[in-house]
Amino acid sequence: MKILPPILKNCTEISDTKILYSACEKEERIENLVINSADLSGTALPRAEVSCVKFSGCRFGEANFKGADFCDVLFESCDFSNADFSNSSFRRTIWRDSKGVGADFS
């Protein structure tokens, strides 16, 4: 089966990660973003809907993404050590040059 790459179009680069928390609190989709070098360690974004997002050089150590939905997402040079992605779904999502020691993808 061929793995399809994420479709990333019209993405806006942001430096303030508060938009992620605001969208999740309002149960809005996190979409069309490029996020570089953000420290999101310990972040709690359960059931987040993430679409058309590129994360580059981000740290997600011990983050909580339980039940999140990822579609058209690229994680590039990211650290997911001990992050919790249990019960999450992934479509056209790619991890490139990233590490996930102890991460839960069950």
Side-chain angles (χ1 to χ4, degrees):
M1 174 172 47
K2 183 176 179 180
I3 297 175
L4 297 174
I7 300 167
L8 301 171
K9 294 182 181 178
N10 302 318
C11 294
T12 303
E13 188 170 340
I14 63 166
S15 57
D16 186 359
T17 58
K18 291 179 185 176
I19 192 169
L20 300 175
Y21 301 104
S22 176
C24 203
E25 286 175 3
K26 297 175 183 176
E27 297 183 5
E28 295 175 343
R29 182 180 294 259
I30 299 166
E31 62 185 347
N32 302 325
L33 299 174
V34 175
I35 302 169
N36 294 308
S37 303
D39 186 357
L40 300 167
S41 298
T43 299
L45 295 171
R47 298 176 307 283
E49 292 184 30
V50 184
S51 178
C52 300
V53 177
K54 176 184 177 184
F55 293 97
S56 182
C58 297
R59 293 185 302 276
F60 295 93
E62 298 185 10
N64 174 357
F65 288 101
K66 289 182 182 178
D69 179 48
F70 296 90
C71 181
D72 294 317
V73 177
L74 172 60
F75 294 105
E76 187 172 64
S77 301
C78 294
D79 182 357
F80 298 99
S81 297
N82 299 310
D84 188 351
F85 289 93
S86 58
N87 298 312
S88 293
S89 63
F90 303 93
R91 292 180 313 273
R92 292 186 306 271
T93 298
I94 292 181
W95 290 266
R96 182 179 297 143
D97 299 323
S98 297
K99 69 177 185 178
V101 176
D104 181 358
F105 289 95
S106 60

